Amino acid sequence: MKDCTIRIAKIQDAKELISIYAPYVEKTAITFEYTVPTIEEFEKRIEQVLEKYPYLVAERHGEIVGYAYAGTFKGRAAYDWAVETTVYVREDQKKTGVGQQLYEALEKTLALQNILNLNACIAYTQEEDPYLTKDSVAFHQHLGYRLVGEFHQCGYKFGRWYNMVWMEKHIGEHKDFPEHPKTFKEIQDVMED
């Protein structure tokens, strides 16, 4: 179902975005964060991401139902063509196409920025439990990501040890002399047209 409107996040969206994120913190091992961030912390996160990368929200019938953003993969200049991607969907909107729409919009935006590699860091378990399934890995595989590495028992939450996997997707050609990536602010005018 592709009936969402995708737009750039605003600082004022923080409260609604926290309401989407909080259940993941409180009830799942999808995020290894233990405490739900404050509104002020979340506002800073949005602001920091938008300095360089897209932070997108999906709206359905006037309500925010999910969000996705990109962040720095590693801090060294040679990694400038790679980002880490993140997506969260409201609990009652899972498996409705929201996540896919967000990731497709994120990918198009990142391509405009000359980004080539998308990387996803995903909590993983060998055996599913009440806190973590393999759905996120399946979602990323469906969108063309491939598994590139696994770290074992590196995250501890809810009295259990969890693994973490990295998945990647290439969205551009790796030329000998690639165009340098642009910041999100540099391409924002193109997006708003």
Side-chain angles (χ1 to χ4, degrees):
M1 184 186 318
K2 300 225 176 189
D3 60 344
C4 288
T5 301
I6 308 294
R7 65 166 173 81
I8 300 166
K10 298 180 270 197
I11 303 301
Q12 300 88 332
D13 294 326
K15 187 175 181 180
E16 280 186 86
L17 299 184
I18 288 174
S19 72
I20 292 170
Y21 184 59
Y24 289 96
V25 175
E26 296 167 340
K27 299 190 289 188
T28 79
I30 289 170
T31 174
F32 287 166
E33 197 157 17
Y34 281 12
T35 307
V36 177
T38 65
I39 291 175
E40 294 77 21
E41 288 174 312
F42 223 84
E43 288 172 344
K44 284 180 191 164
R45 292 179 187 188
I46 295 167
E47 188 174 40
Q48 287 173 342
V49 168
L50 287 172
E51 287 294 318
K52 192 170 181 182
Y53 298 112
Y55 201 124
L56 306 176
V57 298
E59 291 183 323
R60 182 176 279 154
H61 311 300
E63 293 183 337
I64 296 177
V65 293
Y67 65 95
Y69 60 91
T72 301
F73 175 61
K74 294 290 271 178
R76 304 285 189 261
Y79 292 108
D80 283 352
W81 291 265
V83 297
E84 183 177 346
T85 58
T86 301
V87 63
Y88 286 98
V89 174
R90 202 170 75 191
E91 285 181 298
D92 65 344
Q93 297 293 310
K94 289 181 181 177
K95 301 189 186 227
T96 65
V98 174
Q100 183 170 342
Q101 272 189 269
L102 279 162
Y103 254 25
E104 287 171 356
L106 189 67
E107 190 174 308
K108 286 178 186 169
T109 305
L110 293 167
L112 291 172
Q113 290 183 251
N114 300 321
I115 298 298
L116 302 175
N117 291 27
L118 309 182
N119 301 284
C121 179
I122 302 168
Y124 189 72
T125 182
Q126 293 300 323
E127 293 184 31
E128 294 186 358
D129 63 38
Y131 307 107
L132 189 63
T133 68
K134 297 180 182 182
D135 288 354
S136 188
V137 168
F139 168 77
H140 284 82
Q141 284 174 329
H142 175 73
L143 295 179
Y145 285 71
R146 67 182 184 93
L147 185 66
V148 291
E150 182 171 357
F151 295 85
H152 298 90
Q153 296 180 318
C154 61
Y156 182 78
K157 192 169 179 182
F158 302 120
R160 300 160 194 244
W161 287 101
Y162 291 100
N163 295 357
M164 183 269 290
V165 297
W166 278 103
M167 298 184 77
E168 74 174 359
K169 180 178 182 178
H170 292 177
I171 61 169
E173 185 182 347
H174 290 75
K175 299 175 183 176
D176 289 341
F177 300 99
E179 289 185 59
H180 199 273
K182 299 173 182 170
T183 67
F184 181 64
K185 287 184 175 194
E186 290 176 286
I187 64 133
Q188 208 166 343
D189 292 340
V190 175
M191 284 197 54
E192 292 171 350
D193 289 343

